[in-house]
């Protein structure tokens, strides 16, 4: 579990609400500042624990100072549509020497202004760009759509792969051919709620979540080795097996039918021969009868 920090979030927006939910799920304590009390009550009343709310105008530097904004470990500026209010809030936080400030930018122009104010690249978040990178990474690589994917840059990607390939169940990372290389590294393994920091002799178990950092050129191969290939391939193999079984059954039936036909032919041939013999036998009888009758007629004429 992550170390608990005191985190302040200024401004209620869709971005802020997403951050709040994630932090609460991670058991972090959050204080949310906004000038609109109704908005605070509407969106945050569902949280019974982990979220405190303070009605405050963040463009007022004195109000921020009185509410101890400098004491927070992290201050996140998530002001939505009002860019001017967001910029003024960032300036106030810089003036108050807040230790760690993270600000949401709407677009590249907004980002340039925040950079000019003194924030570094790592302190500025572009939600649309970040979401776009994640979607692009998921569409390019053989990675399940419900896993955590973060595209680092053009060359590397960080993602989580579930162990589903039965060929690597209960094998060590070394035996499975997944030891750290210049192309990829297994950062951690999540197993039944626990986090393992693996080495070459850590065994892989079914349904382990493996967090990897890999080159984009090898992520597909790595995903196939850990996840065991695509679902379509599995279904095609199953269909092939079923087809082969049906074909074998048909061959067996054909063989049985052919054998039966051969027996029938043999039976018919024998029956025909017997019938033929009986016909010849009957003809002999008829000939014998005809000869006997002729001799009787000759004798009758002589007697006359």
């Amino acid at each position: 579990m992550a170390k608990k920090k005191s985190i302040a979030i200024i401004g209620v927006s869709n971005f802020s609400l997403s951050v709040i939910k994630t932090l609460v799920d991670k058991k972090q304590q959050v204080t949310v500042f906004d000038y609109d009390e109704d908005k605070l009550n509407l969106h945050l009343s569902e949280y019974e624990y982990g979220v405190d709310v303070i009605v405050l105008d963040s463009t007022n530097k004195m109000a921020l100072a009185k509410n101890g904004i400098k004491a927070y470990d992290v201050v996140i500026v998530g002001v939505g549509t009002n860019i001017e209010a967001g910029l003024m809030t960032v300036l106030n936080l810089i003036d108050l020497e807040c230790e760690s400030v993270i600000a949401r930018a709407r677009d590249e122009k907004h980002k340039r202004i925040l950079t000019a104010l003194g924030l570094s690249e790592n302190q500025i978040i572009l939600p649309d760009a970040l979401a776009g990178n994640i979607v692009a990474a998921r569409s390019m690589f053989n990675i399940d759509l419900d896993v955590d994917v973060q595209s680092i840059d053009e060359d590397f990607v960080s993602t989580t792969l579930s162990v589903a390939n039965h060929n690597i169940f209960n094998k060590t990372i070394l035996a499975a051919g997944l030891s750290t290389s210049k192309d990829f590294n297994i950062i951690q393994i999540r197993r039944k709620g626990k986090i393992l920091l693996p080495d070459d002799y850590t065994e892989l178990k079914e349904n382990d979540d493996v967090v990897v950092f890999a080159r984009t050129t090898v992520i597909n191969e790595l995903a196939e080795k850990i996840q065991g290939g695509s679902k379509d391939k599995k279904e095609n193999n199953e269909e092939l097996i079923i087809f082969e079984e049906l074909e074998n059954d048909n061959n067996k039936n054909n063989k049985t039918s052919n054998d039966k036909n051969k027996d029938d032919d043999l039976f018919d041939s024998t029956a025909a021969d017997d019938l033929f013999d009986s016909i010849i036998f009957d003809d002999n009888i008829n000939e014998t009868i005809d000869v006997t009758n002729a001799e009787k007629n000759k004798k009758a004429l002589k007697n006359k």
Side-chain angles (χ1 to χ4, degrees):
M1 183 183 295
K3 179 182 176 182
K4 280 198 173 184
K5 291 185 176 183
S6 57
I7 301 172
I9 296 179
I10 299 176
V12 176
S13 62
N14 290 333
F15 169 76
S16 299
L17 293 173
S18 179
V19 174
I20 292 167
K21 183 180 185 308
T22 302
L23 289 172
V24 172
D25 289 344
K26 301 295 183 183
K27 310 300 181 185
Q28 298 295 323
Q29 185 65 37
V30 182
T31 302
V32 183
F33 298 85
D34 197 287
Y35 70 92
D36 190 336
E37 184 176 1
D38 291 336
K39 188 186 291 186
L40 288 170
N41 292 332
L42 175 65
H43 294 290
L44 302 176
S45 59
E46 62 180 282
Y47 296 104
E48 295 182 5
Y49 306 100
V51 178
D52 295 323
V53 297
I54 295 177
V55 180
L56 174 72
D57 180 4
S58 61
T59 62
N60 186 326
K61 186 192 302 183
M62 189 63 66
L64 287 171
K66 286 183 177 179
N67 282 276
I69 197 69
K70 188 178 178 180
Y72 290 91
D73 295 319
V74 182
V75 181
I76 300 171
V77 181
V79 176
T81 56
N82 193 334
I83 295 179
E84 183 179 350
L87 293 175
M88 183 59 67
T89 299
V90 171
L91 276 175
N92 289 337
L93 296 174
I94 292 173
D95 289 345
L96 293 171
E97 299 180 348
C98 291
E99 186 175 346
S100 180
V101 177
I102 298 173
R104 168 188 179 269
R106 290 185 58 185
D107 50 36
E108 287 293 336
K109 290 181 180 179
H110 191 186
K111 180 180 178 180
R112 287 181 62 189
I113 297 172
L114 290 171
T115 303
L117 292 178
L119 297 186
S120 67
E121 289 275 343
N122 292 334
Q123 291 178 282
I124 303 171
I125 304 298
L126 273 165
D128 290 345
L130 183 59
N133 286 339
I134 293 173
V135 171
R138 287 177 174 175
S139 64
M140 287 189 295
F141 308 126
N142 296 334
I143 300 170
D144 291 337
L145 294 181
D146 59 345
V147 299
D148 182 21
V149 179
Q150 182 181 6
S151 181
I152 305 301
D153 55 32
E154 293 180 356
D155 298 320
F156 287 91
V157 63
S158 176
T159 186
T160 303
L161 303 171
S162 181
V163 177
N165 183 0
H166 68 276
N167 292 323
I168 64 172
F169 290 170
N170 303 317
K171 285 187 177 181
T172 64
I173 289 177
L174 178 63
L178 295 170
S179 297
T180 298
S181 69
K182 61 182 178 62
D183 293 322
F184 69 87
N185 180 32
I186 294 180
I187 301 171
Q188 63 178 225
I189 295 175
R190 300 171 187 164
R191 180 182 299 162
K192 296 180 179 179
K194 295 181 179 180
I195 295 179
L196 308 177
L197 300 179
D199 56 28
D200 279 349
Y201 302 100
T202 301
E203 288 189 351
L204 297 168
K205 303 293 183 181
E206 184 177 3
N207 297 325
D208 278 354
D209 288 328
V210 180
V211 182
V212 299
F213 180 74
R215 288 186 182 275
T216 55
T217 54
V218 302
I219 189 63
N220 279 340
E221 181 182 350
L222 188 62
E224 185 170 352
K225 181 176 280 190
I226 294 174
Q227 296 180 156
S230 67
K231 182 179 178 182
D232 292 338
K233 184 176 179 181
K234 180 180 178 182
E235 289 177 350
N236 289 337
N237 288 339
E238 290 175 350
E239 290 176 359
L240 180 60
I241 291 171
I242 293 171
F243 176 78
E244 288 176 348
E245 289 176 350
L246 290 174
E247 189 174 21
N248 290 336
D249 289 341
N250 288 334
N251 289 336
K252 289 179 181 178
N253 292 334
N254 289 336
K255 184 177 183 302
T256 303
S257 178
N258 290 335
D259 291 343
K260 185 177 183 299
N261 289 336
K262 288 180 180 179
D263 292 339
D264 290 343
D265 291 342
L266 182 59
F267 174 79
D268 291 342
S269 176
T270 304
D273 290 341
D274 292 342
L275 181 60
F276 180 75
D277 290 341
S278 66
I279 293 172
I280 297 300
F281 178 72
D282 290 342
D283 288 344
N284 291 337
I285 292 175
N286 290 334
E287 288 178 359
T288 303
I289 293 172
D290 291 342
V291 171
T292 304
N293 290 334
E295 290 178 351
K296 286 180 179 180
N297 291 334
K298 284 179 181 181
K299 290 181 179 180
L301 289 172
K302 286 180 180 181
N303 292 332
K304 290 181 178 180

mmCIF file of all heavy atoms in Angstrom, residues 245-283:
data_model
loop_
_atom_site.group_PDB
_atom_site.id
_atom_site.type_symbol
_atom_site.label_atom_id
_atom_site.label_comp_id
_atom_site.label_asym_id
_atom_site.label_seq_id
_atom_site.Cartn_x
_atom_site.Cartn_y
_atom_site.Cartn_z
ATOM 1 N N GLU A 245 -12.165 -34.061 -35.450
ATOM 2 C CA GLU A 245 -12.924 -35.140 -34.811
ATOM 3 C C GLU A 245 -14.091 -35.573 -35.692
ATOM 4 O O GLU A 245 -14.366 -36.758 -35.854
ATOM 5 C CB GLU A 245 -13.432 -34.673 -33.448
ATOM 6 C CG GLU A 245 -12.317 -34.530 -32.411
ATOM 7 C CD GLU A 245 -12.843 -33.965 -31.102
ATOM 8 O OE1 GLU A 245 -14.008 -33.517 -31.078
ATOM 9 O OE2 GLU A 245 -12.085 -33.976 -30.115
ATOM 10 N N LEU A 246 -14.781 -34.573 -36.291
ATOM 11 C CA LEU A 246 -15.889 -34.898 -37.185
ATOM 12 C C LEU A 246 -15.410 -35.655 -38.412
ATOM 13 O O LEU A 246 -16.044 -36.604 -38.870
ATOM 14 C CB LEU A 246 -16.600 -33.603 -37.620
ATOM 15 C CG LEU A 246 -17.404 -32.879 -36.542
ATOM 16 C CD1 LEU A 246 -17.925 -31.554 -37.085
ATOM 17 C CD2 LEU A 246 -18.576 -33.736 -36.073
ATOM 18 N N GLU A 247 -14.244 -35.222 -38.940
ATOM 19 C CA GLU A 247 -13.700 -35.880 -40.122
ATOM 20 C C GLU A 247 -13.320 -37.327 -39.809
ATOM 21 O O GLU A 247 -13.573 -38.231 -40.603
ATOM 22 C CB GLU A 247 -12.465 -35.109 -40.621
ATOM 23 C CG GLU A 247 -11.957 -35.591 -41.973
ATOM 24 C CD GLU A 247 -10.830 -34.710 -42.482
ATOM 25 O OE1 GLU A 247 -10.216 -34.028 -41.650
ATOM 26 O OE2 GLU A 247 -10.585 -34.721 -43.687
ATOM 27 N N ASN A 248 -12.732 -37.544 -38.630
ATOM 28 C CA ASN A 248 -12.374 -38.902 -38.223
ATOM 29 C C ASN A 248 -13.616 -39.775 -38.076
ATOM 30 O O ASN A 248 -13.625 -40.937 -38.478
ATOM 31 C CB ASN A 248 -11.595 -38.869 -36.899
ATOM 32 C CG ASN A 248 -10.211 -38.277 -37.073
ATOM 33 O OD1 ASN A 248 -9.658 -38.300 -38.175
ATOM 34 N ND2 ASN A 248 -9.638 -37.730 -36.003
ATOM 35 N N ASP A 249 -14.685 -39.183 -37.486
ATOM 36 C CA ASP A 249 -15.936 -39.933 -37.337
ATOM 37 C C ASP A 249 -16.508 -40.310 -38.697
ATOM 38 O O ASP A 249 -16.988 -41.426 -38.904
ATOM 39 C CB ASP A 249 -16.965 -39.105 -36.558
ATOM 40 C CG ASP A 249 -16.591 -38.964 -35.085
ATOM 41 O OD1 ASP A 249 -15.765 -39.788 -34.623
ATOM 42 O OD2 ASP A 249 -17.106 -38.058 -34.419
ATOM 43 N N ASN A 250 -16.425 -39.337 -39.637
ATOM 44 C CA ASN A 250 -16.937 -39.617 -40.978
ATOM 45 C C ASN A 250 -16.141 -40.723 -41.656
ATOM 46 O O ASN A 250 -16.687 -41.593 -42.334
ATOM 47 C CB ASN A 250 -16.893 -38.349 -41.834
ATOM 48 C CG ASN A 250 -17.937 -37.334 -41.412
ATOM 49 O OD1 ASN A 250 -18.967 -37.719 -40.849
ATOM 50 N ND2 ASN A 250 -17.697 -36.058 -41.677
ATOM 51 N N ASN A 251 -14.798 -40.677 -41.463
ATOM 52 C CA ASN A 251 -13.949 -41.710 -42.056
ATOM 53 C C ASN A 251 -14.285 -43.086 -41.489
ATOM 54 O O ASN A 251 -14.317 -44.078 -42.209
ATOM 55 C CB ASN A 251 -12.476 -41.388 -41.809
ATOM 56 C CG ASN A 251 -12.018 -40.191 -42.633
ATOM 57 O OD1 ASN A 251 -12.620 -39.885 -43.671
ATOM 58 N ND2 ASN A 251 -10.961 -39.520 -42.198
ATOM 59 N N LYS A 252 -14.523 -43.108 -40.163
ATOM 60 C CA LYS A 252 -14.886 -44.381 -39.534
ATOM 61 C C LYS A 252 -16.210 -44.904 -40.086
ATOM 62 O O LYS A 252 -16.360 -46.078 -40.383
ATOM 63 C CB LYS A 252 -14.991 -44.200 -38.012
ATOM 64 C CG LYS A 252 -13.646 -44.003 -37.328
ATOM 65 C CD LYS A 252 -13.839 -43.810 -35.833
ATOM 66 C CE LYS A 252 -12.493 -43.593 -35.142
ATOM 67 N NZ LYS A 252 -12.671 -43.367 -33.690
ATOM 68 N N ASN A 253 -17.183 -43.963 -40.215
ATOM 69 C CA ASN A 253 -18.482 -44.375 -40.747
ATOM 70 C C ASN A 253 -18.370 -44.867 -42.182
ATOM 71 O O ASN A 253 -19.001 -45.847 -42.569
ATOM 72 C CB ASN A 253 -19.469 -43.199 -40.683
ATOM 73 C CG ASN A 253 -19.834 -42.844 -39.249
ATOM 74 O OD1 ASN A 253 -19.768 -43.704 -38.365
ATOM 75 N ND2 ASN A 253 -20.216 -41.598 -39.013
ATOM 76 N N ASN A 254 -17.534 -44.158 -42.981
ATOM 77 C CA ASN A 254 -17.355 -44.563 -44.370
ATOM 78 C C ASN A 254 -16.712 -45.931 -44.458
ATOM 79 O O ASN A 254 -17.069 -46.762 -45.289
ATOM 80 C CB ASN A 254 -16.499 -43.532 -45.108
ATOM 81 C CG ASN A 254 -17.247 -42.228 -45.327
ATOM 82 O OD1 ASN A 254 -18.484 -42.222 -45.341
ATOM 83 N ND2 ASN A 254 -16.521 -41.128 -45.479
ATOM 84 N N LYS A 255 -15.710 -46.163 -43.558
ATOM 85 C CA LYS A 255 -15.025 -47.461 -43.560
ATOM 86 C C LYS A 255 -15.999 -48.571 -43.199
ATOM 87 O O LYS A 255 -16.044 -49.617 -43.825
ATOM 88 C CB LYS A 255 -13.854 -47.440 -42.570
ATOM 89 C CG LYS A 255 -13.015 -48.715 -42.572
ATOM 90 C CD LYS A 255 -11.839 -48.575 -41.621
ATOM 91 C CE LYS A 255 -10.957 -49.820 -41.678
ATOM 92 N NZ LYS A 255 -11.696 -51.032 -41.354
ATOM 93 N N THR A 256 -16.820 -48.319 -42.174
ATOM 94 C CA THR A 256 -17.810 -49.313 -41.753
ATOM 95 C C THR A 256 -18.794 -49.591 -42.871
ATOM 96 O O THR A 256 -19.170 -50.721 -43.151
ATOM 97 C CB THR A 256 -18.553 -48.812 -40.504
ATOM 98 O OG1 THR A 256 -17.602 -48.534 -39.478
ATOM 99 C CG2 THR A 256 -19.546 -49.850 -40.014
ATOM 100 N N SER A 257 -19.221 -48.489 -43.543
ATOM 101 C CA SER A 257 -20.167 -48.629 -44.639
ATOM 102 C C SER A 257 -19.564 -49.411 -45.796
ATOM 103 O O SER A 257 -20.208 -50.278 -46.388
ATOM 104 C CB SER A 257 -20.595 -47.238 -45.108
ATOM 105 O OG SER A 257 -21.474 -47.336 -46.195
ATOM 106 N N ASN A 258 -18.262 -49.114 -46.102
ATOM 107 C CA ASN A 258 -17.588 -49.833 -47.191
ATOM 108 C C ASN A 258 -17.453 -51.308 -46.869
ATOM 109 O O ASN A 258 -17.654 -52.167 -47.723
ATOM 110 C CB ASN A 258 -16.215 -49.219 -47.446
ATOM 111 C CG ASN A 258 -16.316 -47.838 -48.074
ATOM 112 O OD1 ASN A 258 -17.330 -47.531 -48.726
ATOM 113 N ND2 ASN A 258 -15.297 -47.013 -47.898
ATOM 114 N N ASP A 259 -17.080 -51.615 -45.610
ATOM 115 C CA ASP A 259 -16.949 -53.019 -45.203
ATOM 116 C C ASP A 259 -18.295 -53.731 -45.325
ATOM 117 O O ASP A 259 -18.380 -54.876 -45.751
ATOM 118 C CB ASP A 259 -16.431 -53.096 -43.750
ATOM 119 C CG ASP A 259 -14.978 -52.636 -43.666
ATOM 120 O OD1 ASP A 259 -14.320 -52.589 -44.719
ATOM 121 O OD2 ASP A 259 -14.532 -52.324 -42.550
ATOM 122 N N LYS A 260 -19.343 -53.013 -44.922
ATOM 123 C CA LYS A 260 -20.682 -53.614 -45.001
ATOM 124 C C LYS A 260 -21.067 -53.866 -46.445
ATOM 125 O O LYS A 260 -21.625 -54.900 -46.794
ATOM 126 C CB LYS A 260 -21.699 -52.682 -44.336
ATOM 127 C CG LYS A 260 -23.123 -53.259 -44.257
ATOM 128 C CD LYS A 260 -24.033 -52.301 -43.522
ATOM 129 C CE LYS A 260 -25.422 -52.902 -43.389
ATOM 130 N NZ LYS A 260 -26.045 -53.174 -44.674
ATOM 131 N N ASN A 261 -20.701 -52.908 -47.323
ATOM 132 C CA ASN A 261 -21.017 -53.082 -48.740
ATOM 133 C C ASN A 261 -20.289 -54.275 -49.326
ATOM 134 O O ASN A 261 -20.808 -55.019 -50.155
ATOM 135 C CB ASN A 261 -20.656 -51.816 -49.514
ATOM 136 C CG ASN A 261 -21.608 -50.673 -49.194
ATOM 137 O OD1 ASN A 261 -22.744 -50.921 -48.772
ATOM 138 N ND2 ASN A 261 -21.163 -49.441 -49.388
ATOM 139 N N LYS A 262 -19.014 -54.454 -48.889
ATOM 140 C CA LYS A 262 -18.251 -55.611 -49.362
ATOM 141 C C LYS A 262 -18.921 -56.902 -48.924
ATOM 142 O O LYS A 262 -19.043 -57.852 -49.683
ATOM 143 C CB LYS A 262 -16.815 -55.554 -48.828
ATOM 144 C CG LYS A 262 -15.972 -54.468 -49.494
ATOM 145 C CD LYS A 262 -14.572 -54.450 -48.934
ATOM 146 C CE LYS A 262 -13.730 -53.375 -49.583
ATOM 147 N NZ LYS A 262 -12.361 -53.355 -49.017
ATOM 148 N N ASP A 263 -19.370 -56.934 -47.674
ATOM 149 C CA ASP A 263 -20.059 -58.134 -47.175
ATOM 150 C C ASP A 263 -21.343 -58.361 -47.949
ATOM 151 O O ASP A 263 -21.688 -59.490 -48.296
ATOM 152 C CB ASP A 263 -20.376 -57.977 -45.678
ATOM 153 C CG ASP A 263 -19.102 -57.974 -44.834
ATOM 154 O OD1 ASP A 263 -18.078 -58.490 -45.357
ATOM 155 O OD2 ASP A 263 -19.133 -57.484 -43.703
ATOM 156 N N ASP A 264 -22.056 -57.252 -48.238
ATOM 157 C CA ASP A 264 -23.291 -57.388 -49.003
ATOM 158 C C ASP A 264 -23.016 -57.919 -50.401
ATOM 159 O O ASP A 264 -23.751 -58.751 -50.926
ATOM 160 C CB ASP A 264 -24.002 -56.027 -49.095
ATOM 161 C CG ASP A 264 -24.559 -55.611 -47.733
ATOM 162 O OD1 ASP A 264 -24.681 -56.489 -46.854
ATOM 163 O OD2 ASP A 264 -24.862 -54.414 -47.572
ATOM 164 N N ASP A 265 -21.920 -57.414 -51.022
ATOM 165 C CA ASP A 265 -21.567 -57.891 -52.354
ATOM 166 C C ASP A 265 -21.244 -59.371 -52.329
ATOM 167 O O ASP A 265 -21.628 -60.126 -53.222
ATOM 168 C CB ASP A 265 -20.358 -57.119 -52.892
ATOM 169 C CG ASP A 265 -20.726 -55.675 -53.204
ATOM 170 O OD1 ASP A 265 -21.940 -55.404 -53.321
ATOM 171 O OD2 ASP A 265 -19.806 -54.834 -53.302
ATOM 172 N N LEU A 266 -20.502 -59.800 -51.285
ATOM 173 C CA LEU A 266 -20.145 -61.214 -51.160
ATOM 174 C C LEU A 266 -21.397 -62.049 -50.974
ATOM 175 O O LEU A 266 -21.545 -63.110 -51.576
ATOM 176 C CB LEU A 266 -19.200 -61.403 -49.964
ATOM 177 C CG LEU A 266 -18.703 -62.823 -49.724
ATOM 178 C CD1 LEU A 266 -17.945 -63.335 -50.944
ATOM 179 C CD2 LEU A 266 -17.825 -62.870 -48.475
ATOM 180 N N PHE A 267 -22.287 -61.507 -50.142
ATOM 181 C CA PHE A 267 -23.545 -62.236 -49.914
ATOM 182 C C PHE A 267 -24.342 -62.340 -51.209
ATOM 183 O O PHE A 267 -24.844 -63.399 -51.571
ATOM 184 C CB PHE A 267 -24.372 -61.511 -48.841
ATOM 185 C CG PHE A 267 -25.741 -62.104 -48.644
ATOM 186 C CD1 PHE A 267 -25.924 -63.258 -47.905
ATOM 187 C CD2 PHE A 267 -26.842 -61.518 -49.266
ATOM 188 C CE1 PHE A 267 -27.187 -63.804 -47.754
ATOM 189 C CE2 PHE A 267 -28.107 -62.062 -49.107
ATOM 190 C CZ PHE A 267 -28.284 -63.202 -48.348
ATOM 191 N N ASP A 268 -24.414 -61.220 -51.949
ATOM 192 C CA ASP A 268 -25.191 -61.224 -53.191
ATOM 193 C C ASP A 268 -24.582 -62.171 -54.210
ATOM 194 O O ASP A 268 -25.288 -62.856 -54.948
ATOM 195 C CB ASP A 268 -25.255 -59.814 -53.763
ATOM 196 C CG ASP A 268 -26.101 -58.904 -52.881
ATOM 197 O OD1 ASP A 268 -26.862 -59.452 -52.077
ATOM 198 O OD2 ASP A 268 -25.994 -57.671 -53.007
ATOM 199 N N SER A 269 -23.233 -62.189 -54.265
ATOM 200 C CA SER A 269 -22.557 -63.067 -55.223
ATOM 201 C C SER A 269 -22.843 -64.525 -54.912
ATOM 202 O O SER A 269 -23.131 -65.332 -55.790
ATOM 203 C CB SER A 269 -21.058 -62.792 -55.195
ATOM 204 O OG SER A 269 -20.383 -63.688 -56.043
ATOM 205 N N THR A 270 -22.754 -64.888 -53.649
ATOM 206 C CA THR A 270 -23.024 -66.266 -53.231
ATOM 207 C C THR A 270 -24.461 -66.648 -53.516
ATOM 208 O O THR A 270 -24.778 -67.729 -54.021
ATOM 209 C CB THR A 270 -22.715 -66.424 -51.730
ATOM 210 O OG1 THR A 270 -21.373 -66.029 -51.495
ATOM 211 C CG2 THR A 270 -22.922 -67.849 -51.285
ATOM 212 N N ALA A 271 -25.362 -65.714 -53.179
ATOM 213 C CA ALA A 271 -26.782 -65.974 -53.421
ATOM 214 C C ALA A 271 -27.053 -66.154 -54.910
ATOM 215 O O ALA A 271 -27.847 -67.000 -55.316
ATOM 216 C CB ALA A 271 -27.615 -64.834 -52.860
ATOM 217 N N ALA A 272 -26.365 -65.336 -55.727
ATOM 218 C CA ALA A 272 -26.564 -65.445 -57.174
ATOM 219 C C ALA A 272 -26.097 -66.790 -57.691
ATOM 220 O O ALA A 272 -26.740 -67.405 -58.540
ATOM 221 C CB ALA A 272 -25.829 -64.317 -57.877
ATOM 222 N N ASP A 273 -24.909 -67.220 -57.152
ATOM 223 C CA ASP A 273 -24.387 -68.521 -57.580
ATOM 224 C C ASP A 273 -25.351 -69.636 -57.206
ATOM 225 O O ASP A 273 -25.612 -70.547 -58.000
ATOM 226 C CB ASP A 273 -23.014 -68.775 -56.937
ATOM 227 C CG ASP A 273 -21.955 -67.857 -57.531
ATOM 228 O OD1 ASP A 273 -22.205 -67.315 -58.640
ATOM 229 O OD2 ASP A 273 -20.891 -67.670 -56.887
ATOM 230 N N ASP A 274 -25.869 -69.582 -55.996
ATOM 231 C CA ASP A 274 -26.820 -70.610 -55.555
ATOM 232 C C ASP A 274 -28.062 -70.610 -56.428
ATOM 233 O O ASP A 274 -28.588 -71.657 -56.809
ATOM 234 C CB ASP A 274 -27.216 -70.367 -54.090
ATOM 235 C CG ASP A 274 -26.044 -70.619 -53.138
ATOM 236 O OD1 ASP A 274 -25.094 -71.288 -53.583
ATOM 237 O OD2 ASP A 274 -26.089 -70.142 -51.990
ATOM 238 N N LEU A 275 -28.512 -69.358 -56.741
ATOM 239 C CA LEU A 275 -29.711 -69.255 -57.567
ATOM 240 C C LEU A 275 -29.447 -69.817 -58.971
ATOM 241 O O LEU A 275 -30.280 -70.514 -59.546
ATOM 242 C CB LEU A 275 -30.153 -67.787 -57.636
ATOM 243 C CG LEU A 275 -31.427 -67.497 -58.453
ATOM 244 C CD1 LEU A 275 -32.608 -68.271 -57.855
ATOM 245 C CD2 LEU A 275 -31.720 -66.008 -58.478
ATOM 246 N N PHE A 276 -28.246 -69.480 -59.456
ATOM 247 C CA PHE A 276 -27.882 -69.987 -60.788
ATOM 248 C C PHE A 276 -27.839 -71.504 -60.804
ATOM 249 O O PHE A 276 -28.348 -72.153 -61.714
ATOM 250 C CB PHE A 276 -26.522 -69.408 -61.210
ATOM 251 C CG PHE A 276 -26.071 -69.866 -62.564
ATOM 252 C CD1 PHE A 276 -26.656 -69.353 -63.718
ATOM 253 C CD2 PHE A 276 -25.083 -70.836 -62.676
ATOM 254 C CE1 PHE A 276 -26.229 -69.782 -64.971
ATOM 255 C CE2 PHE A 276 -24.668 -71.264 -63.925
ATOM 256 C CZ PHE A 276 -25.232 -70.743 -65.067
ATOM 257 N N ASP A 277 -27.207 -72.061 -59.738
ATOM 258 C CA ASP A 277 -27.139 -73.527 -59.650
ATOM 259 C C ASP A 277 -28.535 -74.125 -59.593
ATOM 260 O O ASP A 277 -28.817 -75.163 -60.204
ATOM 261 C CB ASP A 277 -26.358 -73.950 -58.394
ATOM 262 C CG ASP A 277 -24.862 -73.625 -58.541
ATOM 263 O OD1 ASP A 277 -24.427 -73.444 -59.699
ATOM 264 O OD2 ASP A 277 -24.172 -73.527 -57.506
ATOM 265 N N SER A 278 -29.432 -73.468 -58.859
ATOM 266 C CA SER A 278 -30.790 -74.010 -58.761
ATOM 267 C C SER A 278 -31.498 -73.947 -60.097
ATOM 268 O O SER A 278 -32.264 -74.842 -60.456
ATOM 269 C CB SER A 278 -31.580 -73.253 -57.691
ATOM 270 O OG SER A 278 -31.785 -71.916 -58.085
ATOM 271 N N ILE A 279 -31.192 -72.893 -60.863
ATOM 272 C CA ILE A 279 -31.817 -72.775 -62.186
ATOM 273 C C ILE A 279 -31.327 -73.885 -63.099
ATOM 274 O O ILE A 279 -32.091 -74.543 -63.784
ATOM 275 C CB ILE A 279 -31.534 -71.393 -62.795
ATOM 276 C CG1 ILE A 279 -32.248 -70.297 -61.977
ATOM 277 C CG2 ILE A 279 -31.976 -71.332 -64.248
ATOM 278 C CD1 ILE A 279 -31.894 -68.901 -62.372
ATOM 279 N N ILE A 280 -29.994 -74.119 -63.086
ATOM 280 C CA ILE A 280 -29.429 -75.202 -63.909
ATOM 281 C C ILE A 280 -30.013 -76.543 -63.486
ATOM 282 O O ILE A 280 -30.358 -77.387 -64.309
ATOM 283 C CB ILE A 280 -27.906 -75.224 -63.772
ATOM 284 C CG1 ILE A 280 -27.315 -73.910 -64.311
ATOM 285 C CG2 ILE A 280 -27.300 -76.407 -64.507
ATOM 286 C CD1 ILE A 280 -27.628 -73.650 -65.760
ATOM 287 N N PHE A 281 -30.135 -76.711 -62.178
ATOM 288 C CA PHE A 281 -30.689 -77.968 -61.653
ATOM 289 C C PHE A 281 -32.103 -78.167 -62.145
ATOM 290 O O PHE A 281 -32.485 -79.245 -62.565
ATOM 291 C CB PHE A 281 -30.641 -77.937 -60.123
ATOM 292 C CG PHE A 281 -31.217 -79.150 -59.479
ATOM 293 C CD1 PHE A 281 -30.542 -80.362 -59.523
ATOM 294 C CD2 PHE A 281 -32.462 -79.088 -58.856
ATOM 295 C CE1 PHE A 281 -31.088 -81.500 -58.935
ATOM 296 C CE2 PHE A 281 -32.998 -80.227 -58.263
ATOM 297 C CZ PHE A 281 -32.308 -81.443 -58.297
ATOM 298 N N ASP A 282 -32.890 -77.065 -62.128
ATOM 299 C CA ASP A 282 -34.265 -77.154 -62.597
ATOM 300 C C ASP A 282 -34.316 -77.485 -64.078
ATOM 301 O O ASP A 282 -35.156 -78.255 -64.544
ATOM 302 C CB ASP A 282 -35.001 -75.833 -62.336
ATOM 303 C CG ASP A 282 -35.245 -75.615 -60.846
ATOM 304 O OD1 ASP A 282 -35.168 -76.597 -60.104
ATOM 305 O OD2 ASP A 282 -35.498 -74.458 -60.439
ATOM 306 N N ASP A 283 -33.402 -76.889 -64.860
ATOM 307 C CA ASP A 283 -33.358 -77.182 -66.292
ATOM 308 C C ASP A 283 -33.072 -78.656 -66.523
ATOM 309 O O ASP A 283 -33.643 -79.291 -67.402
ATOM 310 C CB ASP A 283 -32.293 -76.329 -66.980
ATOM 311 C CG ASP A 283 -32.727 -74.870 -67.074
ATOM 312 O OD1 ASP A 283 -33.939 -74.615 -66.898
ATOM 313 O OD2 ASP A 283 -31.866 -73.993 -67.306
#
